[in-house]
Amino acid sequence: MKKPLVLLADDELRLRKLVSDFLLNAGFEVICVENGKNAFDTFLKMSESIDLVILDVMMPIMDGWEVLSEIKSISKVPVIMLTAKGEESDQLTGFRLGANDYVCKPFSPSILVARVENLLKQLGKKEPDRLQIGSIAIDNNQHSVSVDEKSIDLTPKEFDLLLYLFKNEGLALSRDRILNGVWSYDYNGDLRTVDTHIKQLRAKLGIYGAYIETVRGVGYKLREQT
């Protein structure tokens, strides 16, 4: 069985060695590079083989944000950002550019490996072909939605938004969390983008638009069906 391949980019030699040793001991293959340009060049050459990327933010030549943006423009490979910056604004920048997770230095290598394993496990799960909540059904194969067994026409982003709400049924989701989960790296608007799409989605769902509830002071949730 092929071992998962991780591309690790960090300009600190000692950290690269430490993280690489932990990943190797956990059963991964690792490619280490010391700057952003080498990270992106390596990814271009081996994109079909790389299963996950770990990027430091502060790197020479190309920083982690640049590399993240370039990778996510051509691939859906999961990326974990590794950085000394812990401010919320930096984390939001990473998520909006498409980062799948964010680890602040100093960190435990064992915890980082656990996050890598968990992320690959979650992304490796096959989505069910059909999801249904109440009278609303989503067909993943056909990328279609029906209400009371009648097909409705959704834009790609409306479909992604409804699917995201389905996956988080009953959970109160902030607008920021919805932006990260649905728009990711190609997000160019602001928080009102979520409100606009929720309004459009509710209208297309008709009376079942009421399934999408507004949570005051938080955002939205898909009402849990009992």
Side-chain angles (χ1 to χ4, degrees):
M1 180 182 293
K2 173 185 175 292
K3 293 182 179 180
L5 177 60
V6 176
L7 172 62
L8 169 63
D10 195 292
D11 60 343
E12 297 180 42
L13 175 59
R14 187 171 63 176
L15 187 144
R16 290 200 307 272
K17 180 69 168 60
L18 178 64
V19 173
S20 176
D21 285 347
F22 271 79
L23 287 168
L24 289 169
N25 288 335
F28 293 90
E29 295 286 350
V30 186
I31 299 174
C32 294
V33 295
E34 71 282 359
N35 63 59
K37 184 178 186 304
N38 285 349
F40 186 58
D41 288 345
T42 300
F43 184 80
L44 285 178
K45 293 176 184 176
M46 304 185 64
S47 60
E48 296 301 318
S49 301
I50 293 172
D51 297 289
L52 183 139
V53 179
I54 300 175
L55 292 176
D56 183 34
V57 170
M58 303 301 292
M59 290 188 294
I61 307 179
M62 287 177 70
D63 66 26
W65 300 139
E66 293 178 276
V67 181
L68 173 64
S69 180
E70 292 293 335
I71 286 177
K72 287 296 187 175
S73 71
I74 59 174
S75 172
K76 293 184 178 180
V77 68
V79 177
I80 296 177
M81 300 305 295
L82 197 62
T83 177
K85 292 186 175 182
E87 292 84 359
E88 182 177 289
S89 60
D90 292 312
Q91 295 187 36
L92 287 175
T93 296
F95 286 130
R96 285 172 178 166
L97 288 172
N100 298 83
D101 204 349
Y102 196 105
V103 178
C104 297
K105 300 177 182 179
F107 60 87
S108 161
S110 296
I111 295 297
L112 176 59
V113 170
R115 290 196 180 201
V116 170
E117 292 173 334
N118 184 63
L119 185 53
L120 289 175
K121 181 179 178 181
Q122 291 298 320
L123 294 176
K125 289 182 178 178
K126 184 179 184 298
E127 294 288 349
D129 294 335
R130 182 179 172 87
L131 300 170
Q132 183 152 357
I133 293 179
S135 299
I136 307 171
I138 294 179
D139 187 320
N140 271 318
N141 288 333
Q142 300 296 324
H143 210 71
S144 62
V145 175
S146 61
V147 174
D148 285 334
E149 300 185 355
K150 295 180 180 178
S151 180
I152 62 172
D153 185 26
L154 299 183
T155 67
K157 269 294 177 274
E158 289 167 352
F159 179 90
D160 291 343
L161 175 58
L162 183 61
L163 182 60
Y164 187 73
L165 292 171
F166 262 54
K167 291 178 180 177
N168 293 278
E169 178 189 5
L171 297 179
L173 304 168
S174 69
R175 291 172 176 82
D176 273 328
R177 184 172 174 182
I178 294 172
L179 281 172
N180 294 334
V182 178
W183 276 261
S184 191
Y185 67 89
D186 58 350
Y187 165 68
N188 291 313
D190 55 30
L191 293 176
R192 289 172 296 181
T193 299
V194 175
D195 297 329
T196 299
H197 280 75
I198 288 287
K199 182 178 179 180
Q200 293 169 177
L201 188 54
R202 280 172 169 165
K204 291 184 178 182
L205 294 174
I207 61 173
Y208 302 110
Y211 283 6
I212 304 174
E213 299 180 342
T214 300
V215 182
R216 188 178 298 276
V218 179
Y220 301 96
K221 74 174 181 179
L222 187 67
R223 182 197 308 161
E224 194 167 11
Q225 305 298 301
T226 57

